[in-house]
Amino acid sequence: LDGYVEDARFVRLRELSATVTLPQSAAARFLRADRASIAFSARNLHIWTRYHGTDPESNYNTTGDQPQDLVTPPPPTTFQVRLNVGF
């Protein structure tokens, strides 16, 4: 196994989020609400590693103790927008 062992250290920007609170006048005018905010988030934005496989956390081997990442896709980058409204 010596030829297949490699450094799997990594740093991942796993999640980033921000929330913007709308002015009360805008919430009342457009949503007929007392308050409102919009939240933005993104997951799995970037990974810094020297690992040559798809992802150091990928592993489809569930029966043994040797990790394998053959044809295992890395986690996808996802974006989310959420509207919070209070009445």
Side-chain angles (χ1 to χ4, degrees):
L1 294 175
D2 290 342
Y4 299 100
V5 176
E6 64 177 293
D7 186 1
R9 291 181 291 178
F10 68 95
V11 174
R12 181 186 304 268
L13 179 55
R14 195 169 302 273
E15 185 166 355
L16 185 65
S17 64
T19 301
V20 176
T21 302
L22 299 177
Q24 188 176 9
S25 59
R29 179 183 218 182
F30 297 112
L31 301 171
R32 295 183 181 162
D34 293 332
R35 60 195 172 279
S37 63
I38 299 174
F40 304 95
S41 67
R43 290 187 175 203
N44 299 317
L45 292 172
H46 191 69
I47 186 167
W48 292 271
T49 185
R50 291 185 178 163
Y51 182 70
H52 290 97
T54 56
D55 190 287
E57 290 183 305
S58 300
N59 183 10
Y60 78 89
N61 183 8
T62 58
T63 58
D65 61 352
Q66 189 66 30
Q68 300 174 3
D69 65 356
L70 180 66
V71 300
T72 303
T77 300
T78 58
F79 301 94
Q80 185 178 46
V81 178
R82 184 180 70 215
L83 175 65
N84 300 313
V85 180
F87 295 98

